[in-house]
Amino acid sequence: MDVDEENPVSVSLADPSAAVTDDQTPVSTIDPTPLPAMQPIIPSLVPPPIVPPIAPIPSVSAPILRPLAPLPVRPPVLRPPLPQNGEMRASDSDSDRDDSGRAQAASGSAVEYEISEESRQFRERQEKAKQEFLMKRRASALAVPTNDMAVRTRLRRLGEPITLFGEREMERRDRLRMIMAKLDAEGQLEKLMKAHEEEEAAAPVAMEEVEEETLQYPFYTEGSKSLLEARVEIAKYSIMRAASRLYRARRKRDDPDEDLDAEMDWVLKEAGSLVLDCSEIGDDRPLSGCSFSHDGKLLATCALSGVAKIWSMPQVNKVSALKGHTERATDVAFSPALNHLATASADRTARLWNAEGSLLKTFEGHLDRLARIAFHPSGKYLGTASFDKTWRLWDVEIGEELLLQEGHSRSVYGISFHRDGSLAASCGLDALGRVWDLRSGRSILALEGHVKPVLGISFSPNGYHLATGAEDNTCRIWDLRKKKSLYVIPAHANLVSQVKFEPQEGYFLVTASYDMTAKVLFFSKCHGCFF
């Protein structure tokens, strides 16, 4: 059969010799006792089923131990240098360093690795932010003088500019602090210590000079003889004007025929008839100020072009043009006594003109541009407010400066004179208003209440009310008798640039604003309120 040909040798599972290999000695496990003879079995005619042969079970040999190959030598892991002051590590964990070392050893790459441009920029920003933080922390620990003059002195000794364009006192102090911190960080302590030593050495000398000045001179600045004469004349003028005003007020109060309600009704009726009468183009550039003459027949305007113009009223015909300023004109005012007018300009001068347009006087002395100007009620004196933090009083007849008045920490923007001529009021960008006694030169009242620069100020003809307008969009009414603010009027949606009382009785207050409106406020004396 085919099966027999393919498997010539059949191995039985019971054959003991099947488990014997060529290399082993055969061992018999059969009992030697002879078996009894068995009868022969006659096979049947049915052929037995063909059983496929079973492959022999391979023998399992003991494993042969071979010597182990030597382990490869691990190259040394080069780590980046330790960070210095102010540097950042790429990774602070040990696992990251081990993983990076194994990756380098396995791949056989170079020790130096490249980072992406984004990562480099991020590290630079992070380093810059940390340096700025350390610089600010170092600067906060430095002692910086608070006196502005001392700050300027130290900046000069360090070789830095004492002031920058538009820089304020606190900004200048912060700049000195950062400069000192930078010098400290760069290790230039010698330069800094030298400046300190010079300052300390100069301090005793300055103290000695101050003591000598204190012993030799009074604590106030002595005025000129012309100022003394002007104060005496102002005192005499104000006494007569105050007496006349008080007499009219008492007579009006004691008059039994005086009807305040009827007078208020008449004033309200007159206010209701206010309408736009005309509109005229005053200049090619924006107008910055206007003023009526004392008789109301002339109107003067000034513009940013530096030209002032005089117009006849009510026809609004141009009479003359006043040309002389080299910078923009900031304000114009008519004299209350004569048909003279004065103009202020950013060229740091004020000029006096007549109605025909001829130049009469030029007032020079301010160190910065002028803002507002105003005439004294007598017409003999002119007040000018300037961005050099001072206001000055001038003699109109001789063109001489009588008074240089300090008192504001920021630029002085507005000035106004009391109707009696005894007081002057100034306002500035320090959010303050001040009332000055022209007869003694003292500051008698500080108007504190506005939270932003005060741009307009005006005395009421009644003698005891004062109005101010500021960048906080409000107008305040002050009572000089009570020395406090009576009313806060939020009349506009933008800053209030100018305020003016009606010059006869003070019933009306006009306010101008950057919201492109001018409003007329009515003051009711019988009810004591504005509306």
Side-chain angles (χ1 to χ4, degrees), residues 299-512:
L299 171 67
T301 61
C302 63
L304 298 186
S305 62
V307 179
K309 296 180 181 180
I310 300 178
W311 310 80
S312 63
M313 300 301 293
Q315 296 82 10
V316 197
N317 297 324
K318 187 173 72 172
V319 176
S320 60
L322 314 178
K323 299 179 180 180
H325 289 291
T326 58
E327 292 286 344
R328 61 188 181 276
T330 56
D331 196 16
V332 61
F334 258 107
S335 171
L338 303 173
N339 279 344
H340 291 170
L341 70 154
T343 56
S345 173
D347 60 6
R348 300 179 293 181
T349 65
R351 298 175 184 264
L352 182 68
W353 314 77
N354 59 18
E356 289 74 23
S358 301
L359 178 63
L360 302 179
K361 293 285 189 307
T362 300
F363 306 99
E364 298 179 347
H366 280 288
L367 303 179
D368 206 340
R369 63 185 185 272
L370 274 65
R372 304 289 187 190
I373 58 175
F375 273 97
H376 188 267
S378 64
K380 296 181 179 181
Y381 310 103
L382 177 68
T384 57
S386 172
F387 277 73
D388 61 4
K389 304 179 184 179
T390 66
W391 67 270
R392 306 193 184 203
L393 188 67
W394 308 81
D395 190 317
V396 174
E397 294 180 357
I398 61 178
E400 179 186 0
E401 178 187 309
L402 300 176
L403 174 64
L404 187 156
Q405 185 63 63
E406 298 176 339
H408 288 271
S409 61
R410 300 284 300 279
S411 304
V412 184
Y413 198 85
I415 186 171
S416 177
F417 289 99
H418 194 276
R419 188 173 184 180
D420 296 344
S422 57
L423 304 176
S426 61
C427 62
L429 304 187
D430 54 0
L432 287 179
R434 288 190 177 274
V435 180
W436 309 85
D437 189 345
L438 295 177
R439 300 162 295 186
S440 62
R442 296 177 55 189
S443 174
I444 59 177
L445 182 60
L447 309 177
E448 301 179 1
H450 287 288
V451 297
K452 288 189 177 182
V454 185
L455 305 180
I457 192 166
S458 177
F459 277 103
S460 172
N462 61 22
Y464 50 86
H465 280 154
L466 179 68
T468 56
E471 284 189 10
D472 56 8
N473 305 351
T474 64
C475 174
R476 285 178 177 262
I477 309 299
W478 308 82
D479 194 323
L480 302 182
R481 302 167 299 180
K482 299 180 181 180
K483 297 183 178 181
K484 67 176 185 179
S485 174
L486 295 181
Y487 312 105
V488 180
I489 307 173
H492 292 278
N494 207 331
L495 64 88
V496 181
S497 58
Q498 185 63 287
V499 292
K500 285 290 184 181
F501 269 105
E502 176 263 319
Q504 298 301 325
E505 296 293 337
Y507 288 135
F508 301 106
L509 174 68
V510 181
T511 60

Side-chain angles (χ1 to χ4, degrees), residues 264-283:
M264 294 300 105
D265 293 339
W266 177 82
V267 171
L268 284 175
K269 183 179 179 181
E270 291 294 323
S273 62
L274 290 176
V275 294
L276 178 63
D277 185 67
C278 66
S279 178
E280 183 71 23
I281 298 177
D283 199 275

Side-chain angles (χ1 to χ4, degrees), residues 3-12 15 53-54:
V3 176
D4 294 338
E5 293 177 358
E6 293 177 0
N7 299 283
V9 180
S10 177
V11 181
S12 176
D15 190 357
I54 299 175

